[in-house]
Amino acid sequence: MDIAAILKEIDAAMRLSPNRGRVADYIPELAAVDPGQFAMSIVLADGTQLSVGDAEVPFSIQSVSKVFALALALGRLGDRLWDRVGREPSGLAFNSILQLEHERGLPRNPFINAGAIVVTDAVLSTHAPREYLGELLRFIRTAAGDDDIHINQGVARSETETGNRNFALAHYMRAFGNLTNAPELTLGAYFHQCAVEMTCAQLARAGRFLMGVPDMPRLVSPERVRRINALMMTCGHYDGSGDFAYRVGLPGKSGVGGGILVIAPGRASIAVWSPGLNEQGNSKLGTEAVEMLARQTGWSVFG
Ligand code: GLU
């Protein structure tokens, strides 16, 4: 199979696409990103990496960071983490507060904002925010095999300034006893984790530990790799998770910066980036590109 040719074809198709979705505009740093950009990068099981488009341009990984934060938290707390956050798809927007009242402050899963805030809060029971962020960056850098990965402080500041909904979620969960630290402290760390910047090429490398291939960096146990992939499949695209599973058939986690990390277990770690979003807040062209890739390669966890 000629993956390089497939990638070229996808890149060409995406460049021509007239409808690129809408760039997130809740903070100026994201609103200013040029929607004309597109990148895709793939690391194969033998370690070969192939990239097309703007694969060396750093972007805000936003909620893709929830995957790394979860892997880190499970390593620190083990299955105790599941006392505080569920594993069911939410069927609601990333920042919805609706379910929290019915479910008494227990967020549905670690990939919606409320769940990710609890995951960060749980790690902060044993780490100061600065230590936690240092450890998270170390985790991501080790996964990517690249130290040139940083937090964009301007983005973190803007997230804090516009984070009213996240503050509401945090206070609400604290009212139910499901947030142990002050909302300001936990959200300070959470906003910084959302503000990690990576290139598409770096993100594809950082996903290698989820491929389930022995030669790749082993940061978590094989059993945990399978479980993180299961959560990405069922919850990785907010209320668009079912549609992504149907169209692509691979686990993926998206972020409002327009990045998506997709894993083809045993075969590849794939990162795609295009800043324009669809209705559910997932990269529009990114989703179309991985759908095209899955169709052309036949990669799917469903056989
Ligand atoms: N920083 C965003 C928020 O918490 C992340 C959302 C996302 O990437 O989906 O609102």
Side-chain angles (χ1 to χ4, degrees), residues 27 59-63 65 133 137 150-159 189-198:
I27 55 173
F59 64 91
S60 192
I61 69 166
Q62 291 289 330
S63 284
S65 65
L133 290 169
L137 267 182
H150 308 275
I151 290 172
N152 181 320
Q153 297 295 337
V155 171
R157 212 171 311 119
S158 293
E159 294 281 345
Y190 170 79
F191 291 139
H192 279 80
Q193 108 192 11
C194 288
V196 169
E197 283 190 348
M198 293 171 82

Side-chain angles (χ1 to χ4, degrees), residues 43 49 56 143-146 199-209 217 269:
V43 179
Q49 181 163 22
E56 299 299 334
D146 189 337
T199 68
C200 205
Q202 286 172 329
L203 185 59
R205 287 199 296 278
R208 293 174 302 177
F209 77 103
S269 169

Side-chain angles (χ1 to χ4, degrees), residues 64-65 76 111 153 207 302:
V64 182
S65 65
R76 291 286 161 272
F111 292 154
Q153 297 295 337
F302 300 112

Side-chain angles (χ1 to χ4, degrees), residues 26 62-63 66 94 113 159 166 190 194 238 255-256:
Y26 69 99
Q62 291 289 330
S63 284
K66 292 175 167 109
F94 67 100
N113 283 14
E159 294 281 345
N166 287 319
Y190 170 79
C194 288
Y238 311 118
V256 287

